[in-house]
Amino acid sequence: MSGNHESIHGLWSSRWAFILAATGSAVGLGNIWKFPYITGENGGGAFVLVYLICIAGIGIPIMMAEVMMGRRGRSTPINTMSRLCVESGSSRVWKLIGWSGMLAGFLILSFYSVIAGWSLSYVLDSITGTFSGADAEFIGSHFGNLLASPGALLFWHTLFMVMTMIVVARGVEHGLEKAVRFLMPSLFVLLVIMVGYAMSMGEFARGVEFLFKPDFSKLTANGVLIAMGHAFFTLSLGMGAIMIYGAYLPAKTSIAKTSVLIAVADTTVALLAGLAIFPIVFSNGLEPGAGPGLIFQTLPIAFGQMPGGLFFGTLFFVLLSFAAWSSAISLIEPAVTWLVENRGMERFKACVIAGIATWLMGIGTILSFNIISEVKLFDKTFFDLLDYLTANIMLPLGGLAMAIFAAWLMPKIAVKDEFNMGEGIAYQTWYFLVRYVAPVTVIIVFLNAVGLI
Ligand code: PHE
């Protein structure tokens, strides 16, 4: 299909444009906010090791499958799946991949935007010198005050949603490429500077040990599920975001090379964030398992003390907000494009509808940090539930379905045609991982987490 069937949205201007957009989607709060805090909550090294194995053994192969399916179908995930079902003569139930992906994207964005709002509010705090010379206690209570204020959270969530929907309304090809081209490398450099600063602190070695020395006694079955779920979340897999970006990919581009590149960049950012944060945690006597507020309670301590901290702090939260923003766009893009293609809506109207729905849903997350923080189901707040349901259940299930579809149902000739890398060792490895390893692992991890094995 690719080659003679162009996406109705045009194509990326080059291979690099795709790489930048997909990296923009992958690198976000997942790397800098979520990875450190779930690593802290799940005991460090062993958790990180499982996460890295999942990235290499499941994440990269499924990313290749998802991009490949997107390029073959050249449409929104739902329409792509219906084309692929026709081509492979498979049942139309596989379109569920597209539907559940659209739903997952909407649910994730609803809380993602609230967290991105924290980052926006920290831009203002940094620039006005709130953190200058402040100690851990002050910064901790500052963060606590933010969470306790539904009005402030709502304000920043609203601002972030408006920013996101403006870009989506204009179409992803415009602007996004250029922004990501400069901002991603800057974020990377800034993280390296932060790691450099962390090295100068007393507890750098302890931070490294926490991250990289596995202690399997600290790893639970649920921790393994969280590590695997995070591999999907951080690479934006299993919900169609990467599939829809793949739909714009020029026919000749190597899917394998680009996928590896994106995964490596994404993982590097996460590890750098961990290396910057844990030394601060330990040298200030903080708790690694402090939860979702971890980076917001640790990094400002460093910015408050380091030379040029006002500048670096402001820049950091600006760049983090941008990283969140380029991920947010890809979370809602499948839903918006679907409304345009299948409901015949104007793109602007589709954005307003999708944006308002997501914004409303986000209010649940906001309240779960204050007014309804005691309301729990399965011992989880509304935010925790949404996060758990999407990252640890919906994305891995979506990825599982994609793996099965790509390796068991699609005509081999079509798959090979898209990959265009012959039948050498690289292809064979992919095939083996996607056909057997990924599905079996996902199922075992699921069963293990619910205590069935
Ligand atoms: N990968 C993004 C992050 O790590 C989040 C995301 C998940 C984006 C799923 C798109 C799809 O922040």
Side-chain angles (χ1 to χ4, degrees):
M1 258 177 251
S2 66
N4 58 22
H5 192 122
E6 281 210 353
S7 156
I8 57 164
H9 311 285
L11 292 179
W12 298 110
S13 57
S14 69
R15 179 168 89 97
W16 275 102
F18 167 76
I19 293 177
L20 287 167
T23 311
S25 166
V27 175
L29 295 172
N31 308 62
I32 295 170
W33 157 75
K34 193 171 177 191
F35 171 73
Y37 100 72
I38 57 177
T39 297
E41 283 182 338
N42 288 283
F47 177 86
V48 174
L49 186 65
V50 174
Y51 156 76
L52 292 175
I53 293 172
C54 289
I55 293 278
I58 307 178
I60 294 177
I62 291 187
M63 177 179 277
M64 288 173 60
E66 191 170 338
V67 176
M68 181 271 289
M69 290 159 74
R71 186 163 74 182
R72 189 98 192 141
R74 289 252 185 260
S75 189
T76 59
I78 293 173
N79 297 345
T80 285
M81 285 316 298
S82 69
R83 284 180 187 167
L84 296 182
C85 286
V86 172
E87 186 192 38
S88 61
S90 312
S91 150
R92 294 172 68 82
V93 291
W94 292 95
K95 279 174 74 178
L96 271 175
I97 293 179
W99 286 104
S100 97
M102 203 163 84
L103 179 64
F106 157 74
L107 294 177
I108 294 174
L109 184 56
S110 79
F111 70 80
Y112 203 85
S113 167
V114 175
I115 314 294
W118 300 355
S119 178
L120 287 176
S121 88
Y122 269 52
V123 171
L124 186 68
D125 290 334
S126 303
I127 229 173
T128 51
T130 308
F131 304 130
S132 301
D135 59 10
E137 201 187 324
F138 172 83
I139 287 167
S141 70
H142 178 80
F143 181 71
N145 290 342
L146 174 66
L147 288 200
S149 160
L153 294 176
L154 186 64
F155 172 80
W156 296 109
H157 164 56
T158 308
L159 180 62
F160 186 80
M161 277 309 301
V162 170
M163 280 168 54
T164 302
M165 296 328 288
I166 287 176
V167 184
V168 179
R170 294 181 59 215
V172 287
E173 301 94 337
H174 308 288
L176 180 63
E177 265 185 65
K178 279 186 218 98
V180 176
R181 193 178 303 249
F182 294 105
L183 298 169
M184 283 295 144
S186 318
L187 179 65
F188 192 82
V189 170
L190 194 60
L191 278 172
V192 172
I193 295 176
M194 293 302 296
V195 175
Y197 179 74
M199 274 180 182
S200 73
M201 303 182 81
E203 300 288 3
F204 188 70
R206 217 171 129 203
V208 174
E209 194 183 308
F210 181 76
L211 271 177
F212 295 114
K213 194 167 162 208
D215 174 354
F216 287 97
S217 69
K218 292 195 183 139
L219 193 64
T220 60
N222 194 39
V224 174
L225 174 62
I226 295 173
M228 181 181 81
H230 189 63
F232 284 94
F233 185 87
T234 192
L235 294 177
S236 307
L237 296 180
M239 56 134 303
I242 289 295
M243 194 184 277
I244 204 166
Y245 279 2
Y248 311 117
L249 187 66
K252 289 277 167 281
T253 308
S254 159
I255 292 177
K257 283 187 203 145
T258 43
S259 300
V260 171
L261 203 71
I262 294 162
V264 168
D266 185 81
T267 308
T268 311
V269 171
L271 295 177
L272 285 175
L275 283 173
I277 286 159
F278 286 107
I280 305 175
V281 170
F282 293 121
S283 45
N284 288 280
L286 298 167
E287 206 10 77
L294 188 68
I295 68 158
F296 296 94
Q297 289 162 312
T298 50
L299 289 180
I301 304 176
F303 295 131
Q305 293 166 0
M306 67 200 271
L310 196 83
F311 171 74
F312 286 128
T314 308
L315 188 63
F316 177 83
F317 288 110
V318 167
L319 293 175
L320 179 60
S321 306
F322 269 113
W325 183 63
S326 57
S327 301
I329 291 165
S330 71
L331 281 163
I332 202 71
E333 176 70 14
V336 168
T337 317
W338 180 80
L339 287 174
V340 173
E341 279 186 21
N342 294 43
R343 288 286 171 265
M345 264 182 214
E346 297 256 330
R347 196 163 173 92
F348 180 78
K349 188 171 168 207
C351 283
V352 172
I353 292 178
I356 289 179
T358 315
W359 177 81
L360 279 173
M361 186 77 189
I363 294 174
T365 289
I366 290 181
L367 298 179
S368 77
F369 289 113
N370 36 67
I371 296 172
I372 56 166
S373 63
E374 294 309 319
V375 180
K376 290 187 180 166
L377 194 66
F378 304 116
D379 205 30
K380 288 182 166 40
T381 64
F382 182 78
F383 157 72
D384 290 331
L385 266 182
L386 265 189
D387 174 42
Y388 197 90
L389 173 73
T390 51
N392 302 337
I393 298 171
M394 295 180 80
L395 300 186
L397 272 182
L400 172 68
M402 288 177 196
I404 293 175
F405 192 87
W408 291 89
L409 299 176
M410 280 180 75
K412 271 188 153 178
I413 179 96
V415 175
K416 284 184 197 156
D417 181 36
E418 289 301 330
F419 280 137
N420 203 8
M421 59 181 182
E423 282 186 63
I425 181 91
Y427 175 79
Q428 296 300 340
T429 310
W430 172 82
Y431 191 66
F432 180 74
L433 289 174
V434 168
R435 194 170 163 95
Y436 305 107
V437 178
V440 171
T441 313
V442 172
I443 290 169
I444 291 179
V445 173
F446 271 144
L447 294 179
N448 193 25
V450 292
L452 284 177
I453 49 171

